[in-house]
Amino acid sequence: MNLWQRLKRLTFWNKLGAVGAICSILAFAGWLLFRSPETSVKVNVQDSPDAKVQTAVNSPNATQILIEDLTINLSPQLKPQLTIETVYVNKPQGDRYVTLLRGRLKAPYPVPKLRVEAHGETVEEVELYPPGSAVYVAGPPGKGEGYVFNTLHNAIGNLKLKIVSRQPGKLHIRFAVQK
């Protein structure tokens, strides 16, 4: 009895399980064969006289780097990308006007501090947060001459930006990654 005849004799659910197992094996093999090598970071310690490089104990092929200050230049594939789309602009809510923007921050790692500045004549408040009931840390918020700012810690994925102003008007929004 060959493999095809055995497969035909199985019940529907057993056939589904066999096909699922084959797909899982093929997906795992594809993952092993076609992994992207650009997800690693190369660190050069030759230019750092204070750096100490040693092999990790009881860990084959592992290296530890001990250094006070380290600068890592990331490849363009590892840099965060932020895309923003407008939900509504200067929508009246009571005696204030609210602008809501929705965005997506694509990054291979959470951004430690994502700072947003909203520049406008009558801007009073800016909030940057993940949608839904996610737990997040933001702040401290602040005000400057003609702008307000806020910071979202460990930002990644979907984001919402809410800007409150006293009068409708043009807004200029700036994002910056802080260290």
Side-chain angles (χ1 to χ4, degrees):
M1 180 179 293
N2 64 21
L3 193 60
W4 181 250
Q5 290 172 338
R6 286 184 181 195
L7 184 67
K8 287 172 61 175
R9 293 182 72 193
L10 293 176
T11 65
F12 172 76
W13 294 109
N14 289 341
K15 287 179 188 177
L16 186 65
V19 169
I22 292 170
C23 290
S24 298
I25 291 169
L26 291 176
F28 181 70
W31 176 76
L32 286 176
L33 294 174
F34 302 111
R35 282 189 290 182
S36 175
E38 271 96 53
T39 57
S40 63
V41 176
K42 294 182 181 176
V43 178
N44 186 0
V45 294
Q46 275 33 11
D47 298 333
S48 303
D50 297 337
K52 294 174 182 56
V53 180
Q54 63 187 21
T55 304
V57 179
N58 295 331
S59 299
N61 299 325
T63 304
Q64 293 177 334
I65 301 172
L66 307 172
I67 191 167
E68 289 286 326
D69 296 315
L70 176 66
T71 301
I72 299 174
N73 296 322
L74 299 175
S75 67
Q77 293 87 359
L78 293 177
K79 292 189 179 176
Q81 295 177 342
L82 179 64
T83 55
I84 297 286
E85 64 183 40
T86 305
V87 178
Y88 51 83
V89 177
N90 292 326
K91 182 178 178 182
Q93 288 186 355
D95 61 343
R96 302 287 183 240
Y97 293 87
V98 177
T99 299
L100 184 63
L101 305 171
R102 188 177 301 138
R104 175 129 178 97
L105 179 63
K106 289 184 183 178
Y109 51 86
V111 173
K113 293 181 183 177
L114 181 63
R115 178 183 167 113
V116 61
E117 293 179 1
H119 295 258
E121 294 178 14
T122 62
V123 177
E124 290 187 338
E125 179 183 345
V126 64
E127 293 180 41
L128 182 62
Y129 56 93
S133 60
V135 176
Y136 66 95
V137 177
K143 286 186 176 187
E145 185 66 35
Y147 73 98
V148 295
F149 63 89
N150 206 338
T151 305
L152 180 63
H153 300 267
N154 295 323
I156 196 163
N158 295 327
L159 302 172
K160 282 190 177 181
L161 175 63
K162 180 180 174 184
I163 303 167
V164 179
S165 57
R166 290 186 309 258
Q167 301 284 328
K170 288 188 177 183
L171 298 171
H172 299 284
I173 302 166
R174 295 182 188 154
F175 290 92
V177 175
Q178 296 180 326
K179 296 181 180 182

